[in-house]
Amino acid sequence: MINWLRIGLVFLLLSVLTLVLLPVQLLALRFDWMLRRRLPRVWHRAACYLLGIRIRQHGTLESRRPLMLAANHASWKDILVLGAIADVVFVAKAEVADWPVFGWLAKLQKSVFVVREQKRKAGEQVNEIAARLAASEIIVLFPEGTTSDGNRLMEVKSSLFGAASAAVSSAPGGVVYVQPVSIAYTGIYGMPMGRYHRPIAAWPGDVELVPHLMGVLKAEAMEVDVDFGEVVEFRAETNRKVAGATVVDRLRAMLRDRLYPRSR
């Protein structure tokens, strides 16, 4: 009974907060105010607090721009977590735009929607991301292209790093910074989270959203470690594949060390 009361209260408070911030965000989007980048962080921080997601940050967000963050992707909660830490814009697959609630929220944050299966649109999509980078927006890329079980980094799509290369020509100093960021769900109920409990945190594509969301709400307390790694510079002479592989190697190492510290 207490669980259901808490879940109802969480939904109520999130709904009220959304209704309060919505008109301001719509105006900020309409007139392209700087506030449109900052307001989502208020919502994400509140959502993490209400859902019981406690964030531990390790390392620092790169201060130089243009900046792209390359992060592993275990769950929709990754968006809340990164959105609570920094004023970011996400690259999402096109079908997310049609999802109930999540698609609407993604549009309010002015996410970049990409159609990965249509190569003829790839150039346009890369150019849009490059333009946003050149405008000093922090772009978050999930190079795996889908969510995982949270226990490892899946195969990545290195072609998506092409946006970083495309933005070099319009970047101050001719350099775009790509920073690997690992997101590891490591604690639940005040105890270390192992493989047994990680399905509560992770959201693989074959798991229905509503039961998963209810599991998160019932968990009440979840801990996540976010590690910011060493930046890789993309310049005109940079080999994109080599630089992308370096980003991925650093990301995989950070995630492994955080999830399996005894293996170090």
Side-chain angles (χ1 to χ4, degrees), residues 14 35 47 53 69 75 112 115 168 208 242:
L14 273 178
L35 186 63
I53 300 173
L69 303 180
S75 169
V112 180
V115 184
V168 167
E208 292 186 9
V242 173

Side-chain angles (χ1 to χ4, degrees), residues 72-252:
N72 60 295
H73 197 20
S75 169
W76 52 270
K77 293 182 291 299
D78 303 338
I79 294 170
L80 299 183
V81 170
L82 289 179
I85 292 175
D87 302 332
V88 296
V89 175
F90 295 93
V91 177
K93 53 188 179 182
E95 51 264 39
V96 171
D98 298 322
W99 289 1
V101 182
F102 286 95
W104 178 64
L105 290 172
K107 291 175 183 176
L108 284 174
Q109 198 164 352
K110 206 172 181 180
S111 299
V112 180
F113 298 103
V114 298
V115 184
R116 296 189 176 103
E117 294 76 17
Q118 297 183 19
K119 292 186 178 181
R120 61 186 176 83
K121 289 189 176 182
E124 297 175 12
Q125 293 166 168
V126 165
N127 290 337
E128 181 182 357
I129 297 171
R132 303 285 287 276
L133 283 169
S136 294
E137 295 191 59
I138 303 173
I139 300 293
V140 176
L141 176 71
F142 296 118
E144 292 167 290
T146 185
T147 52
S148 70
D149 61 6
N151 290 309
R152 68 194 190 285
L153 184 71
M154 299 174 65
E155 183 180 352
V156 304
K157 301 181 184 299
S158 60
S159 61
L160 293 176
F161 288 110
S165 298
V168 167
S169 60
S170 54
V175 57
V176 172
Y177 304 96
V178 180
Q179 185 173 28
V181 182
S182 75
I183 305 170
Y185 295 90
T186 54
I188 189 166
Y189 310 120
M191 300 290 289
M193 180 188 294
R195 286 179 176 270
Y196 178 80
H197 283 111
R198 198 154 287 128
I200 298 177
W203 183 46
D206 57 348
V207 176
E208 292 186 9
L209 176 59
V210 174
H212 171 73
L213 178 58
M214 297 306 292
V216 172
L217 289 167
K218 290 177 180 178
E220 296 186 20
M222 192 176 298
E223 298 168 4
V224 56
D225 286 276
V226 180
D227 288 86
F228 287 89
E230 183 182 353
V231 166
V232 176
E233 297 183 358
F234 280 65
R235 300 177 181 272
E237 65 274 15
T238 298
N239 183 303
R240 188 191 73 195
K241 290 186 177 180
V242 173
T246 301
V247 174
V248 172
D249 287 344
R250 291 176 182 176
L251 173 56
R252 180 174 284 110

